[in-house]
Amino acid sequence: MRQNPSFAFTDTAELRRVIAEHPWVTLVSHTDDGLVASHYAVLLDEDRDDLTIVGHVGRPDDMIHGLGERELLVVVQGPHGYISPGWYGDVASVPTWNFVSIHLAGVPEILTPEENLDVLERLVERFESSMPTPRPMWEAPNDPDFVRKLERGTVGFRLTPTRVVAKRKLSQNKSDEVVDTVIAELEAGGSPYADHRLAGEMRRAHDALRSAREGRA
């Protein structure tokens, strides 16, 4: 991912927030047979305060990726969307795409079956907790044999990244007036490109920039 100082994204707390809010990721490995990619949900490691993540793959994806034996790239995709040049006013301009992306790379550690069960339980809890009637992993009609059979069909992993590349391209190179207009357009109900999550990310980024400018004043 090409980096640009204007769009650098390095704040660990903000990176953790984006990962937590966008857990569906892409796993990429370079193998003897070429590049392979898979898609799974991950969680931040609750025992760490860095960018360590935990997750699992279904067998045989562990063998396909060579999980634990080679570097794994995890691509986290935050909010993204089309930005029309018409939102910049009557000036020469072209369309662009605003986005938030994080790349985490490192050699993952393979979890024990008990650790994997804990991660699977956390994943279920993470998403079921928003349901009107949550279904915890261990509750009936699931029984322990069913759950452990499920676990044996997966391989859990923990990845502490040795390389992190993150980019938050959210019109930081535009004036405050243009940014406010773009945010308003993204929040407009009638726009085909309306996206409240992308508007929220823009607001967070520009509030931070404005605070930094005021601090230097």
Side-chain angles (χ1 to χ4, degrees):
M1 181 163 56
R2 184 175 67 86
Q3 196 52 280
N4 181 319
S6 298
F7 307 135
F9 190 21
T10 59
D11 182 85
T12 299
E14 279 291 278
L15 291 168
R16 285 175 57 85
R17 177 188 61 81
V18 172
I19 295 169
E21 292 178 0
H22 302 278
W24 185 250
V25 303
T26 301
L27 312 180
V28 182
S29 299
H30 187 275
T31 74
D32 294 339
D33 295 322
L35 292 172
V36 294
S38 299
H39 309 275
Y40 287 94
V42 299
L43 299 170
L44 290 164
D45 189 330
E46 60 185 354
D47 296 324
R48 306 281 293 269
D49 58 5
D50 57 9
L51 300 179
T52 297
I53 58 171
V54 291
H56 73 281
V57 301
R59 299 179 188 273
D61 273 359
D62 59 318
M63 301 298 293
I64 293 172
H65 281 273
L67 200 66
E69 299 174 359
R70 54 170 63 97
E71 188 175 53
L72 180 71
L73 172 65
V74 179
V75 180
V76 181
Q77 182 63 66
H80 60 92
Y82 178 78
I83 305 300
S84 169
W87 299 346
Y88 295 153
D90 189 18
V91 296
S93 55
V94 295
T96 191
W97 205 274
N98 277 3
F99 64 89
V100 180
S101 292
I102 303 169
H103 293 180
L104 309 173
V107 179
E109 165 197 354
I110 302 300
L111 301 181
T112 68
E114 290 304 316
E115 289 173 324
N116 190 26
L117 277 170
D118 288 341
V119 171
L120 292 172
E121 185 174 14
R122 281 190 61 210
L123 278 165
V124 173
E125 182 181 0
R126 160 72 167 80
F127 298 106
E128 276 296 307
S129 62
S130 299
M131 296 297 292
T133 306
R135 280 275 299 270
M137 187 175 76
W138 290 100
E139 288 193 6
N142 296 352
D143 59 40
D145 288 342
F146 172 84
V147 172
R148 291 188 179 278
K149 181 179 179 181
L150 175 70
E151 186 280 325
R152 289 193 294 273
T154 69
V155 176
F157 68 88
R158 176 183 293 107
L159 176 69
T160 300
T162 53
R163 291 189 296 117
V164 178
V165 179
K167 192 170 182 178
R168 180 161 61 176
K169 180 182 175 294
L170 300 170
S171 303
Q172 294 96 318
N173 56 341
K174 301 297 182 182
S175 68
D176 289 349
E177 292 75 17
V178 167
V179 170
D180 290 340
T181 298
V182 172
I183 290 174
E185 293 289 348
L186 287 171
E187 292 179 333
S191 171
Y193 299 110
D195 188 330
H196 285 263
R197 294 194 305 172
L198 182 56
E201 289 294 333
M202 288 188 63
R203 185 171 284 108
R204 292 179 74 96
H206 286 277
D207 283 350
L209 283 174
R210 287 164 178 161
S211 295
R213 288 200 303 265
E214 291 169 2
R216 291 193 298 267

